[in-house]
Amino acid sequence: QYRSAARLFGQALWRLARKSASAAFLWWRRSTAIARDAEAQRLRLIEAEQAATTAKQRAAIALERVTRRWARTCVDGSFEWWHRCAAYARASEAAKYRATLQLQRSFSRWAQKSAAGAFLWWRRVVASQKALESERLAK
């Protein structure tokens, strides 16, 4: 029912457009205005999103600047800044260490289950030991 009504309405519009140049112009003007408004709305949304991102970046930069100034002006601030940087570094090293342990455990399990795996694991261990010894000798 709706399809046939839409089809009939479309046919009526086409007849009107063929018979009247002014009706065709009005239809064209309206459709281009709708498209233009949609494009303008899309551009406004993009600009608003970019402005919000830029505002967040400026706020982060300003906060960093204030924090550095605060850290330079007082001993407590300097200690807090250093303590936070050291904590981040320790956490990063701990995460790397845990990842290395997990990888080593998986290689050990693999080495226990297959002869080829054992050979590859021991070859890697020997290569890393040789690299450590050559570094010690180079120093």
Side-chain angles (χ1 to χ4, degrees):
Q1 182 180 8
Y2 293 113
R3 286 184 188 164
S4 63
R7 186 175 47 79
L8 290 173
F9 184 68
Q11 288 174 353
L13 286 177
W14 274 107
R15 273 194 300 275
L16 180 65
R18 281 190 301 242
K19 290 181 181 176
S20 165
S22 62
F25 175 73
L26 290 175
W27 179 82
W28 172 81
R29 190 175 74 176
R30 182 174 175 270
S31 63
T32 55
I34 290 171
R36 188 177 56 238
D37 291 344
E39 180 66 17
Q41 177 68 20
R42 188 182 68 81
L43 291 176
R44 279 194 300 274
L45 288 174
I46 290 172
E47 289 172 0
E49 185 178 319
Q50 289 173 347
T53 303
T54 305
K56 287 178 185 176
Q57 290 171 345
R58 284 195 315 263
I61 290 169
L63 180 63
E64 181 77 17
R65 192 178 319 122
V66 168
T67 308
R68 275 190 270 130
R69 189 179 313 130
W70 175 66
R72 283 194 310 264
T73 57
C74 68
V75 175
D76 291 339
S78 297
F79 177 75
E80 285 296 324
W81 183 267
W82 171 82
H83 184 67
R84 187 176 65 141
C85 289
Y88 286 156
R90 274 187 308 208
S92 174
E93 286 183 19
K96 287 179 186 175
Y97 178 73
R98 287 191 304 271
T100 303
L101 282 180
Q102 288 177 352
L103 185 62
Q104 188 174 6
R105 284 182 194 138
S106 67
F107 278 143
S108 297
R109 271 189 245 113
W110 183 43
Q112 291 169 0
K113 290 183 180 180
S114 72
F119 175 75
L120 290 175
W121 185 77
W122 280 112
R123 188 172 72 178
R124 187 183 63 81
V125 169
V126 169
S128 65
Q129 291 298 324
K130 284 182 182 178
L132 285 174
E133 288 178 16
S134 63
E135 285 179 22
R136 276 192 225 131
L137 293 175
K139 289 181 182 179

